[in-house]
Amino acid sequence: MANSQQSAGRPPRRGPAVAVSLIALAAAAGLSFLAARAAADFIETRSATDLRAALAGFDWVTVTTDGLQVRLEGIAPDEVQRFRARARAETVVDAGRVTDAMQVTASAELATPAFEVELLRNDEGISIIGLVPADLDRAGLIGQLKRQTGATRISDLMETADYAVPEGWEDAFAFGIKAAELARRAKVSIAAGEVSIRAITDSPREKAALEAALNRAKPASVRLTAEITAPRPLIAPFTLRFVKDAAGARFDACSANDEAARDRILAAGREAGVPEAAQCTLGLGAPSARWGDAAVAVVAAVNDLGAGSVTISDTDVALFAPADVEAASFDEVAGRLEAALPDVFTLSAEHEEATKGEAGPAEFSAVADSSGVALRGRITDERMREAVESLARARFGRVDSALRSDASVPDGWTLRAIAALEALNALDRGNATVTRDLVRVSGVSGSQTASDAVAARLAQRLGAGARYELAIRYDRRLDPLLGLPSGIECVDRLNAAMQESEIGFEPNKSVIAGDPGPTLEHLAETMALCSDFRIEIGGHTDSQGSEGFNAELSRSRAQAVLAAMTEAGINTSNMTAKGYGESRPIADNDTEAGREANRRIEFTLLGEEPVQTEALAPAELVKGVTDSPEEVAARAAGAALRAVTAAVGPVLGVPTDPEAAAFAATEPVRLLVSGVDPGRIASQPAQEAGLPELPLLQAATLPAAQLLPDPDTLVAPAEAATAPAQKALRGAAVEAGTIPAQEALHVNRPLPRPEEPRKP
């Protein structure tokens, strides 16, 4: 009991236990702090190391760390670099731990904008593009341009800026406006103190005049850069005529296809005695790349003769020597010239024979081509000269006459000259010469029966007994029955094929996009008939991009089309590729549709005459004497009688010579054939064979249609002989048989008489 009371009266002893606990807690806290501090130091050091490695390319960035926080400091060159540095840092540490204290270098003050203007002028109007001072009187400027140029459409695409006008701007702007007034097709670029002009003129003379006018108008304070071109003209036919006589040596006409050929031709002319001031026109349309070789050779030939003349018209060369040139010398020079001429050229050489006894008149000559006719020689008097020139103008259009009146010419001289012109009118181009006792006609025609037609015309004009010589070549491309396209029709078909299924390209490249096969097939169909024409493939772009880039892109695209055509098996030997860039727009470049139209491939004809890769077959010389009107009428009556009896005889049971019957039945067909397939003959209008009259059309085509019902079916001789008669018996057999023969006597359109059937 006493022990229990003593225990209840004393407090418990807890002091040592509490102290131990506190000491343990303090030790644990200290250890935790040290561990946390060590971890923070490790993270801080590791972050700083990783950030410095990541920002090694940003030497302007300073990295500081404060525990887990990262601070980026420094002056960035621009806002883009500042953003990149922060983004790079956030790839190493969390974005929430990055403090961006970076600054950006202060931007320089904006420079004053440059005032620049471009004026684009063509036949459709004027466009003004660029930046001009705010105080410019734009309405007054447009009114001035309308008054000075007469342009009805002026597009004002200028923008204004209210800045100080730079030195030299006002003089340059005034001169640029003046330049746009002077040049009808030009691009005028204006900047302070300088003006750049790119212009196209119609001729070298206009080019020189424009250059002189610009130099006169240019202020001393303005620098001018001018690029003015004058495209070469198209010369058809491509002609050179050189004459050496008592008056001296001269070029009556001179054409050259390039500068080198021109210099060689003029040098040959000067060696032959031509004055230094002689000129030779550069142009397009030469029939051969060796035109210069041919021209130099013919000039040298006349010089070797000492007197005479020579004319080259496309590939035809005509050499003439007067009577006082020795025959041996003429033969030698003509032989050497024939050997020296390039393969595609053909030579016609004539040596005037010395007259015996009374001297006859100078000959009358006419040279005709697509551009008109040139008349040379003598004529009876002024009244007859006017009559001959009037007829020539009616037949050929343009007339270049140098006829001289001479009362000593023989009787009937004017009639012979008119007959020669009528005969020449039956050809596509050629020469006609009239002397005292001979009419000579040579040239080229698209009709295989041209010699017969010319002989008939001479007979109608001169009557019986007139001597003639004919040398007429057949050119299949001029034959209307074959229907071959002209050069213009060829490029029209090629451009139409491109529009139907255009060859496209990858953007800003010359690589053809998609399958060009269908387009190439269409192009191949046309080129099969047109490969002998000189054709250019032109590439064009819109105005986006630099001028130099567009020019090169258009050239390479045109070259790509040419290469694709060649790889497709198309004959492209006479085709060239050229790039025009943005210089020839056909639509407004301000719209997407316009730019699309301007991005194109376009075919252009470089010469209307086809290139002769080989000489045409030589003309067969035909000599003869015209028949009398009575003989012509008797021959026609005989042909009519044979046609009637041969066609009607078998039906009526009248004995008929089988050979004559076959001849009569097939005569209309033979007159139309000329190397064309029968199916085409049966449907081809007879007027293309020189028979335009309606009765003759019916008479000529009806037998052909009956004889040739199916081009693939052979017709038996008996059926061929009786078919026309059967048809004629329903109407008028005599009329069907005689109309072709009657119309063969037509004055303006004679038919050649066929050869008589050979007897076995």
Side-chain angles (χ1 to χ4, degrees), residues 95-453:
R97 296 168 52 196
V98 177
T99 301
D100 184 1
M102 295 179 290
Q103 299 180 1
V104 179
T105 302
S107 301
E109 294 184 2
L110 294 176
T112 302
F115 291 117
E116 293 180 347
V117 172
E118 282 191 353
L119 290 91
L120 306 177
R121 182 182 177 188
N122 53 34
D123 295 334
E124 298 180 356
I126 300 175
S127 297
I128 312 174
I129 308 169
L131 182 67
V132 296
D135 59 355
L136 175 67
D137 183 5
R138 297 166 64 170
L141 172 62
I142 293 174
Q144 175 187 346
L145 289 174
K146 286 185 176 181
R147 290 191 303 271
Q148 298 297 330
T149 65
T152 58
R153 183 179 67 84
I154 297 182
S155 301
D156 180 2
L157 305 176
M158 294 181 290
E159 297 182 359
T160 60
D162 192 7
Y163 287 92
V165 177
E167 182 179 357
W169 166 258
E170 294 181 352
D171 289 347
F173 186 77
F175 174 60
I177 298 300
K178 182 65 176 178
E181 296 172 1
L182 294 172
R184 294 186 296 112
R185 295 185 294 275
K187 175 182 178 182
V188 181
S189 301
I190 305 171
E194 59 180 323
V195 173
S196 175
I197 301 173
R198 296 184 62 188
I200 299 176
T201 58
D202 293 331
S203 66
R205 179 177 298 179
E206 183 179 334
K207 172 186 175 183
L210 177 58
E211 290 175 341
L214 290 172
N215 288 327
R216 286 195 302 268
K218 184 184 78 69
S221 60
V222 176
R223 185 179 64 196
L224 172 62
T225 302
E227 182 182 341
I228 303 174
T229 59
R232 296 178 184 175
L234 178 63
I235 302 175
F238 217 72
T239 305
L240 181 142
R241 178 170 172 79
F242 177 72
V243 179
K244 190 170 186 178
D245 53 20
R250 64 188 181 276
F251 285 110
D252 284 348
C254 184
S255 305
N257 55 326
D258 54 40
E259 290 82 356
R262 178 195 60 190
D263 295 342
R264 292 177 58 205
I265 294 169
L266 293 177
R270 286 191 293 269
E271 185 177 346
V274 174
E276 291 286 339
Q279 299 292 323
C280 198
T281 303
L282 287 175
L284 302 175
S288 169
R290 299 189 61 191
W291 172 266
D293 296 337
V296 170
V298 300
V299 172
V302 174
N303 189 40
D304 292 341
L305 290 174
S309 66
V310 66
T311 302
I312 310 179
S313 178
D314 286 332
T315 58
D316 295 326
V317 181
L319 175 67
F320 172 79
D324 55 0
V325 174
E326 294 183 359
S329 176
F330 173 77
D331 291 340
E332 180 181 357
V333 170
R336 291 181 181 273
L337 177 59
E338 186 172 8
L341 287 174
D343 293 339
V344 298
F345 292 88
T346 57
L347 174 64
S348 172
E350 178 184 355
H351 186 200
E352 182 182 37
E353 296 181 358
T355 57
K356 298 180 180 180
E358 181 183 359
E363 65 183 20
F364 169 89
S365 65
V367 180
D369 52 40
S370 59
S371 63
V373 64
L375 306 179
R376 298 292 184 269
R378 300 186 183 184
I379 202 65
T380 308
D381 52 31
E382 183 67 20
R383 185 170 60 87
M384 291 296 98
R385 183 179 68 82
E386 293 178 357
V388 170
E389 290 178 355
S390 178
L391 173 67
R393 195 171 293 108
R395 294 289 186 268
F396 302 97
R398 188 184 68 84
V399 175
D400 175 18
S401 176
L403 296 175
R404 188 176 65 177
S405 298
D406 184 357
S408 66
V409 297
D411 294 338
W413 184 259
T414 302
L415 182 61
R416 295 170 71 82
I418 291 176
L421 289 175
E422 291 284 6
L424 197 59
N425 190 41
L427 308 181
D428 289 274
R429 62 178 183 272
N431 307 330
T433 305
V434 177
T435 59
R436 175 183 292 271
D437 55 359
L438 182 66
V439 176
R440 182 183 295 107
V441 179
S442 63
V444 180
S445 172
S447 171
Q448 297 192 49
T449 59
S451 293
D452 294 328

Side-chain angles (χ1 to χ4, degrees), residues 569-657:
I570 300 174
N571 183 357
T572 60
S573 59
N574 293 317
M575 302 188 80
T576 58
K578 185 174 181 180
Y580 292 93
E582 61 188 73
S583 63
R584 297 186 178 182
I586 59 174
D588 192 349
N589 276 307
D590 294 334
T591 65
E592 180 57 35
R595 290 190 292 271
E596 177 69 22
N598 289 332
R599 296 190 294 268
R600 68 193 189 279
I601 294 293
E602 193 170 66
F603 295 89
T604 304
L605 181 67
L606 297 181
E608 294 185 1
E609 294 296 326
V611 176
Q612 298 291 346
T613 55
E614 57 183 18
L616 296 175
E620 180 182 356
L621 182 63
V622 178
K623 298 183 179 180
V625 179
T626 56
D627 296 331
S628 66
E630 292 77 15
E631 290 174 323
V632 174
R635 189 164 54 250
L641 179 61
R642 287 194 304 273
V644 172
T645 57
V648 181
V651 180
L652 301 180
V654 178
T656 303
D657 180 11

Side-chain angles (χ1 to χ4, degrees), residues 707-729:
L707 288 173
L708 305 171
D710 185 351
D712 298 327
T713 303
L714 295 177
V715 181
E719 181 183 357
T722 58
Q726 293 172 355
K727 182 68 176 180
L729 288 175

Side-chain angles (χ1 to χ4, degrees), residues 686-702:
Q687 64 185 31
E688 293 192 1
L691 313 173
E693 293 81 357
L694 182 59
L696 185 57
L697 170 65
Q698 296 171 342
T701 58
L702 179 59

